[in-house]
Amino acid sequence: MTASRSGYPFSAVVGADVEAPGGPDPMALALILTSISPEVGGVLVRGEKGTAKSTIVRALAAVLPPVDDHEARLVELPIGATEDRVLGSIDLESALAEGRAEYQPGLLVKAHRGILYVDEVNLLHDHLVDVLLDAAAMGRVTVERDGVSVERDARFVLVGTMNPEEGELRPQLLDRFGLTVEVAAPRDPALRAEVVRRRMAHDADPESFAAAYADAEDALRARIAEARKRVGDVRLSDRALLRIAEVCAAFEVDGLRADIVMARTASAHAAWQGRDDVVLEDVEVAARLALPHRRRRNPFDSPGLDDDLLQDALGEDDLEPDPEPEPDPDPDGPGPGSDSSDSSEEPGRSSDAHPPRCKPPDATGEPDAEAPGAGTTTAAAAPYRTRLLTVRGTGTGTAGRRSRARTETGRRVGAERPTGSGGALHLVETIRAAVPHQHGRGRVAGRLLLRPEDLRVAVREGRESNLVLFCVDASGSMAARKRMEQVKTAVLSLLLDAYQRRDKVGLVTFRGDRADLALPPTSSVDVAAARLEDLPAGGRTPLAEGLLEAAKVLELERIRDPRRRPLLVVVTDGRATAGADAVARSQSVAVWLAGTGVASVVVDCESGAMRMGLARVLADHLDAEHVPVGEVSADALVAAARGRAA
């Protein structure tokens, strides 16, 4: 935890007026709205590196209303934090010395009435993301563990930042964040120059730089404080609530969380603008901040909104407050001011006024076959659920969902002496190790006497994430439309599986007379899917070059991340036609690669009645698992197994 901040004024990052000409700064506005109403559920800031994401979040603490005459606390949650550190646990000193189970607060409780900031939240373990999002939504932390049952207030402003190139959050976790914004560096040279000028002025004299923005900071702080007082009294009319529901229905968002978040955000924006009632502008702002990430149905979809659909769903008529009921002097006649046109007017829009948009079907008029070397491109079909491919043995890598490993999470299988700084203390085994030595240490009564050699940490077994490196044959023998579609669909499905299992992925392709690293290993499977989609096919088959390029990538990654075990997935029909002695060279390289101990899988793409079986031979040389492309699907694997049993 740290209470320090950058010292860079909030107003210097976003401008003295958050709502400058050209529209409000989305990131600044989202942060302010969730500060006004923390029940919104926090802000996720997505953007490329070097866009001042961390700077503006740390600067936010200085413009929030003070807590007990002190600046609002900023608590940073490191991505390597354990669950005990986040939630809290028993105080071991009190437990061992005095026999009392006393609760020691975690980071969530310490962030109460302040800001909880998670940089690189996409790299945080999923179960920890769930924990902090639950606390942000409930405003409380409940701990039931180690004989302790406590509840503590944890009402904080949750802010997460991430670089999408390093991997996405899963859609169900994205949905738990109230608001999301996309940030990018300005492309205007004048704006870029001004950013650099301000940064250099701050570094040269931080105090003078901050003093220049003191009035703007004070005004912003006062406005946020006033909006916090006002937000509870803002009226959300039935018409406004119905319009929110219509917008969410138009975008087909799942569940009702989006409706609730939009209602709270619209009320916070109305309070920010000094209004007593929610108007159409407030609903539109709420939609632009609360819906983009909830449109992400598939892991490979990009967040975003269809602006035309949004405008159609919002309509043009503003939202009037609900009228006060008036007594009708003549029960049998029309009420005062009534009009036949008013009685038939609907406050919302027809549900089928704007049918859901869909992409046009792919063109199918192209020829099914192209000459080898032509470089044709074929799209993949919809991905399917794949069989589980794993690395043999037990690893020690980062927690994930693929291969068996000793990890920080998972079932407890034993205890051992600590070998480093990591590991959770195994209290029972520590006491058990210390008990036989109490007489020798001179203990007659009183507290247990412990020594460093008594300490034991839990050994847990779970699953790890791996580096899945795809080595894909894109030669002419793969260029037939149906075969390449089947190959791309299989690889896309395996990419989806890697995304769900939190793996890193890389992509090597080979065709013609060379192999290329199409995608260096990354946690962003979205980029891998895009590279796969654009992959052309044609030309000869340089199989040996593909294997050598894969070996080079794996060796470099072994140096960069030695704990992450690799899984090489070679997708080919096994042919080798590029260069002299192509078959012998590819077999020699395969045997050498197997000798390095790399776990491999060969996805056999050969089809037709007459098969040469070259991919199976390659699998033997690689000491790899052989998987026909038709059995990559988990359902196909089950069907094949049942067929063999019958």
Side-chain angles (χ1 to χ4, degrees), residues 518-600:
L519 179 69
T522 175
S523 296
S524 180
V525 296
D526 308 59
V527 180
R531 300 288 170 85
L532 177 70
E533 183 179 355
D534 297 334
L535 177 65
R540 294 186 176 274
T541 312
L543 178 56
E545 283 71 18
L547 296 177
L548 286 170
E549 181 65 24
K552 186 190 306 180
V553 174
L554 292 175
E555 175 60 20
L556 184 58
E557 284 302 303
R558 183 187 65 80
I559 297 172
R560 287 176 175 169
D561 192 355
R563 292 182 57 203
R564 191 183 295 270
R565 296 191 295 165
L567 177 64
L568 176 62
V569 180
V570 183
V571 186
T572 181
D573 57 9
R575 299 183 186 183
T577 60
D581 300 323
V583 175
R585 281 190 68 236
S586 62
Q587 292 178 353
S588 177
V589 172
V591 171
W592 168 78
L593 192 55
T596 65
V598 173
S600 304

Side-chain angles (χ1 to χ4, degrees), residues 82-390:
T82 63
E83 189 170 340
D84 287 348
R85 184 79 174 105
V86 175
L87 282 174
S89 62
I90 63 170
D91 187 327
L92 286 178
E93 184 176 349
S94 298
L96 294 176
E98 304 171 20
R100 291 188 297 106
E102 185 174 311
Y103 174 65
Q104 186 175 43
L107 295 178
L108 299 185
V109 174
K110 293 179 179 178
H112 181 51
R113 300 173 68 185
I115 301 171
L116 182 68
Y117 173 45
V118 189
D119 192 15
E120 298 180 320
V121 66
N122 51 321
L123 304 183
L124 193 67
H125 292 320
D126 286 354
H127 74 283
L128 290 182
V129 177
D130 269 330
V131 164
L132 67 92
L133 288 171
D134 280 337
M138 301 298 295
R140 298 182 68 80
V141 171
T142 303
V143 180
E144 298 276 355
R145 59 191 309 173
D146 299 326
V148 175
S149 177
V150 296
E151 273 196 6
R152 293 290 180 87
D153 290 332
R155 178 183 165 92
F156 50 78
V157 176
L158 173 64
V159 183
T161 56
M162 60 173 281
N163 181 354
E165 294 178 358
E166 296 171 346
E168 283 283 2
L169 274 173
R170 298 165 65 201
Q172 55 267 47
L173 293 177
L174 271 176
D175 179 61
R176 298 288 302 280
F177 275 95
L179 311 178
T180 187
V181 290
E182 300 275 340
V183 296
R187 299 296 183 246
D188 183 351
L191 287 178
R192 297 174 72 95
E194 179 60 23
V195 170
V196 175
R197 187 178 298 111
R198 291 188 185 185
R199 185 74 226 189
M200 294 180 69
H202 170 268
D203 294 345
D205 190 349
E207 292 185 3
S208 297
F209 185 81
Y213 289 90
D215 291 343
E217 296 282 275
D218 289 342
L220 192 54
R221 188 179 301 108
R223 187 175 174 187
I224 292 174
E226 177 61 29
R228 277 188 169 185
K229 296 176 182 177
R230 178 189 294 270
V231 67
D233 298 325
V234 169
R235 290 185 292 272
L236 181 68
S237 67
D238 289 343
R239 292 193 65 185
L241 190 56
L242 181 60
R243 192 64 55 85
I244 289 171
E246 288 174 338
V247 171
C248 292
F251 282 97
E252 300 179 341
V253 296
D254 296 330
L256 293 173
R257 182 175 285 121
D259 305 60
I260 296 170
V261 171
M262 275 190 64
R264 290 171 174 167
T265 305
S267 297
H269 189 261
W272 170 246
Q273 295 293 337
R275 287 190 284 265
D276 295 324
D277 297 277
V278 170
V279 300
L280 193 64
E281 177 192 345
D282 304 320
V283 175
E284 179 175 358
V285 168
R288 293 189 182 280
L289 295 175
L291 295 185
H293 57 304
R294 293 185 167 87
R295 292 286 297 151
R296 202 165 181 261
R297 303 292 183 82
N298 186 294
F300 304 133
D301 293 341
S302 298
L305 286 183
D306 184 327
D307 195 66
D308 291 339
L309 179 56
L310 176 60
Q311 295 304 323
D312 285 347
L314 287 170
E316 297 180 357
D317 56 315
D318 207 342
L319 306 172
E320 298 295 334
D322 294 332
E324 295 292 336
E326 297 181 6
D328 188 351
D330 183 2
D332 298 325
S338 65
D339 185 88
S340 59
S341 61
D342 291 338
S343 62
S344 61
E345 182 180 352
E346 292 288 340
R349 299 179 63 86
S350 172
S351 60
D352 60 353
H354 199 298
R357 282 166 163 72
C358 59
K359 295 181 180 179
D362 295 335
T364 57
E366 299 179 4
D368 285 346
E370 297 283 352
T376 60
T377 302
T378 303
Y384 46 74
R385 185 173 64 91
T386 67
R387 63 191 295 173
L388 175 60
L389 305 176
T390 63

Side-chain angles (χ1 to χ4, degrees), residues 376-433:
T376 60
T377 302
T378 303
Y384 46 74
R385 185 173 64 91
T386 67
R387 63 191 295 173
L388 175 60
L389 305 176
T390 63
V391 179
R392 293 187 292 266
T394 303
T396 57
T398 304
R401 294 189 174 89
R402 184 171 296 279
S403 302
R404 182 179 173 185
R406 288 177 53 178
T407 60
E408 295 179 358
T409 59
R411 63 188 183 94
R412 193 161 58 193
V413 296
E416 64 180 7
R417 288 185 175 180
T419 55
S421 58
L425 182 67
H426 195 309
L427 184 58
V428 173
E429 292 299 326
T430 297
I431 294 174
R432 183 176 294 169

